[in-house]
Amino acid sequence: MTRDPVSITCTDLTLRFPVYGADAKSLKKALARVVAVGGALGRHAGVTDVTALQSVNLRLKAGDRLGLIGHNGSGKTTLLRALSGAYEPDEGTIEVHGRIAALLDLGLGIDPTATGLENIRLRGRIAGLTAREVEERMEEITTFTGLGPFLAMPVKTYSAGMQARLAFAAATAVEADVLLMDEWIAVGDAEFQRLAHKRLLKLVERAGILVLATHEVPLLKLYCNKVMRLDGGVASEIVDIRKLDELLAA
Amino acid sequence: MQTATHMLRTGRHGALFQLQMAVRDLRNSFGRIGLAWSLAWHDVGSRYRGSILGPFWITLSMGLMVLGIGFLYANLFGIALNVFLPYVALGIVFFGVITGTVTEGCDTFVKAAGMLSQTSLPMFTFVWRTIFRNLINLAHHLVIVVAVLAYYGYWRSADIPLALIGIALMVVNAGWLSLLAGIASARFRDIPQIVASVMQFAIFVTPVFWLPDRFGDNHAVLQFNPFYHLLQAVRAPLMDKAVEPGSYVVLVTMAVVGWALTFAVFARTRRRIVHYL
């Protein structure tokens, strides 16, 4: 197997979402449409397309920490999900060399009825660790959660802060070359936030590339060295973090 | 920093390309088959979490149902218990594999929405999860099958290898039905209701609770019922009866045509499934 440098490349990436309204999901409506229009099904069955990303070009190499900025609905999360491999482009290509870890939703794979320990195992398995690797990391993860004996209790008995601690510890136990993060995950009390910050920095250091979507300027300045702005699915040039103010003003 | 992990997603279209991608999804899912097992076990565990008997409830509730229906119908139809009870036990247990796999197939992608929209996990991983979960259930039910066959002495004449072939054919056929139901249910939320109704009807129209000889062997209700063939291929060898060669023809044809059709649908809808959810 050939080994390549860690990198992310997007060329003319265009993503369109078909919006299947509450109506379109009902078979009755779909059938009624076929019957009524009589063969006009080719008109895409009344499904509307929303263009979420429009010809995005992106090239990142190891050491790049890209901050994504833009209004709500500008396509930041969509871009992150596309980079995670969940979405397939309608046009263009996405190419990622390296192990990808997407910390988009801390609650991913968390089962509230299962115990904390079970959830850590499950989350690790989903992230691509083998059962053995999970066991090897178990002690480190459990220590980090600081939940002690509570780990043997179902997650539904946890407070919101405790749940966040667990999810955060489990989600960040992965080894990745490419780290995708949606918003800065500010969780827990002040003490935990300090620990979380340290852990994230370490993760970011280990990871070759970080792509972070956030609205918070201080965080951008703290973690990122490059910035890109999205407006209605159209991406700006990637600029150095020092030009952030110009980009924000634009 | 060097790496061997590579992900490429392109906006290429075309039937051949989509087929290649579907095959790749399938191949990747085999590479991570352990994850599907873990998820399936987790599902079984969480369903009975907090109960004193745990997954043993799977066995117990099935046992009670088999005994109840066995005694009741044996009296009702005037059939000897040593014929009818094993017959019903095998019928309910193995028909349950079909119903379970197909009806739970409706949730395969819907329940995996979170994972599918932020990871590059293969879609087939979740198909295996549904199938494995039902196989784990079956393993719990096998206790009853073995007990009944042993108690009524069928174990001496049972043709186990032939029955295993029957189980394999059953799982392969339930598999494509499950995947097809999963794709359709993701797109149209009425499908799970339809599938549930059809499967409920199927359990009564198929000789699960009643003996087929009341119809005569070549009756249309039996011959044109795929579920009858599926069930016969497992039940007959265990009860010292012959499986008609015709049944195997039906089952193999169904498996091949069914998987070809379903895989084509999968190849065509694969990139869209995540948007359906």
Side-chain angles (χ1 to χ4, degrees):
Chain A
M1 208 171 210
T2 56
R3 296 181 73 80
D4 296 286
V6 172
S7 69
I8 298 180
T9 316
C10 294
T11 358
D12 295 324
L13 168 64
T14 297
L15 255 174
R16 279 186 286 269
F17 286 170
V19 178
Y20 306 93
D23 277 3
K25 270 185 181 159
S26 145
L27 192 61
K28 186 175 74 183
K29 295 282 168 59
L31 286 176
R33 206 175 289 118
V34 176
V35 175
V37 189
L41 194 67
R43 223 178 35 194
H44 212 127
V47 176
T48 332
D49 275 341
V50 172
T51 305
L53 292 174
Q54 179 86 58
S55 295
V56 174
N57 282 290
L58 186 67
R59 190 177 292 274
L60 297 172
K61 55 183 194 319
D64 285 346
R65 289 128 183 34
L66 177 70
L68 292 177
I69 55 172
H71 298 292
N72 296 334
S74 57
K76 300 188 296 292
T77 305
T78 305
L79 180 57
L80 289 176
R81 287 186 173 184
L83 293 176
S84 82
Y87 294 154
E88 212 144 292
D90 288 277
E91 282 158 43
T93 59
I94 309 167
E95 193 168 11
V96 179
H97 288 283
R99 288 162 304 174
I100 306 165
L103 306 187
L104 306 185
D105 172 9
L106 273 183
L108 171 71
I110 295 289
D111 175 356
T113 61
T115 66
L117 289 172
E118 284 169 317
N119 270 299
I120 293 173
R121 288 199 186 94
L122 196 63
R123 187 66 177 74
R125 300 286 282 125
I126 292 168
L129 302 178
T130 62
R132 195 175 173 175
E133 285 171 323
V134 174
E135 293 313 317
E136 283 166 7
R137 285 176 172 72
M138 206 61 183
E139 201 188 319
E140 189 260 333
I141 301 172
T142 52
T143 316
F144 185 77
T145 61
L147 293 172
F150 286 99
L151 284 170
M153 313 236 302
V155 168
K156 65 181 176 196
T157 63
Y158 290 15
S159 73
M162 288 162 76
Q163 284 190 26
R165 274 177 175 241
L166 178 85
F168 182 84
T172 49
V174 291
E175 295 214 8
D177 306 312
V178 173
L179 192 57
L180 309 171
M181 300 187 70
D182 200 359
E183 295 298 335
W184 203 248
I185 307 164
V187 293
D189 48 32
E191 165 66 7
F192 188 72
Q193 283 204 15
R194 198 180 54 77
L195 285 170
H197 173 71
K198 249 173 68 184
R199 189 176 173 92
L200 277 174
L201 273 186
K202 224 169 77 190
L203 197 63
V204 168
E205 261 165 44
R206 271 209 313 258
I209 300 175
L210 167 76
V211 183
L212 161 70
T214 182
H215 293 286
E216 305 220 5
V217 174
L219 288 173
L220 279 173
K221 288 189 171 154
L222 190 58
Y223 291 101
C224 300
N225 56 14
K226 292 184 171 180
V227 208
M228 185 170 94
R229 179 176 165 147
L230 281 163
D231 271 306
V234 181
S236 72
E237 292 276 305
I238 296 178
V239 299
D240 193 272
I241 188 75
R242 280 166 296 192
K243 293 186 183 155
L244 176 65
D245 295 332
E246 293 168 36
L247 200 63
L248 284 171
Chain B
M1 208 163 177
Q2 306 278 302
T3 175
T5 318
H6 180 219
M7 181 195 83
L8 178 65
R9 296 274 187 276
T10 71
R12 270 178 67 189
H13 295 267
L16 185 66
F17 178 71
Q18 286 177 340
L19 193 64
Q20 281 171 353
M21 291 301 283
V23 171
R24 204 168 73 174
D25 185 280
L26 181 63
R27 211 173 46 221
N28 290 346
S29 76
F30 286 131
R32 304 194 58 181
I33 204 79
L35 174 62
W37 263 119
S38 302
L39 290 170
W41 271 109
H42 181 86
D43 290 340
V44 173
S46 44
R47 190 177 299 176
Y48 300 95
R49 198 183 310 282
S51 62
I52 294 168
L53 294 179
F56 183 62
W57 270 115
I58 305 175
T59 313
L60 189 68
S61 58
M62 177 60 86
L64 290 173
M65 173 137 135
V66 164
L67 285 177
I69 292 179
F71 282 106
L72 178 70
Y73 280 44
N75 272 313
L76 211 56
F77 293 144
I79 309 167
L81 204 57
N82 66 346
V83 175
F84 195 70
L85 195 66
Y87 179 84
V88 156
L90 293 173
I92 298 177
V93 166
F94 288 106
F95 203 82
V97 178
I98 307 174
T99 344
T101 311
V102 177
T103 49
E104 288 172 23
C106 296
D107 285 337
T108 294
F109 298 123
V110 176
K111 287 231 172 107
M115 281 185 244
L116 286 175
S117 62
Q118 52 181 309
T119 61
S120 55
L121 289 177
M123 300 249 164
F124 261 101
T125 295
F126 300 97
V127 178
W128 305 141
R129 175 192 194 170
T130 303
I131 293 174
F132 289 161
R133 188 169 59 229
N134 280 281
L135 288 179
I136 294 167
N137 273 338
L138 173 65
H140 285 86
H141 291 157
L142 280 181
V143 177
I144 295 162
V145 169
V146 171
V148 169
L149 291 181
Y151 186 79
Y152 289 105
Y154 283 96
W155 57 273
R156 273 178 246 118
S157 52
D159 188 343
I160 305 285
L162 202 61
L164 286 177
I165 292 174
I167 292 176
L169 282 168
M170 176 180 268
V171 173
V172 167
N173 276 301
W176 69 260
L177 281 166
S178 179
L179 171 56
L180 197 60
I183 297 171
S185 305
R187 179 67 181 85
F188 299 106
R189 298 302 157 99
D190 302 73
I191 300 286
Q193 315 300 329
I194 296 173
V195 170
S197 311
V198 169
M199 292 313 294
Q200 195 161 39
F201 180 65
I203 199 170
F204 290 112
V205 86
T206 308
V208 177
F209 305 117
W210 45 274
L211 296 172
D213 51 13
R214 300 187 76 94
F215 261 136
D217 276 347
N218 288 318
H219 197 279
V221 168
L222 303 176
Q223 291 308 322
F224 290 104
N225 179 355
F227 298 113
Y228 169 69
H229 297 288
L230 281 171
L231 196 53
Q232 275 308 94
V234 182
R235 184 158 62 182
L238 291 176
M239 293 198 65
D240 201 19
K241 297 249 169 59
V243 185
E244 296 158 54
S247 285
Y248 287 117
V249 175
V250 170
L251 293 182
V252 171
T253 314
M254 203 165 102
V256 172
V257 175
W259 268 108
L261 176 86
T262 307
F263 201 76
V265 172
F266 175 72
R268 187 141 169 68
T269 54
R270 187 189 50 86
R271 45 182 284 128
R272 282 291 174 226
I273 290 175
V274 65
H275 298 309
Y276 294 160
L277 302 170

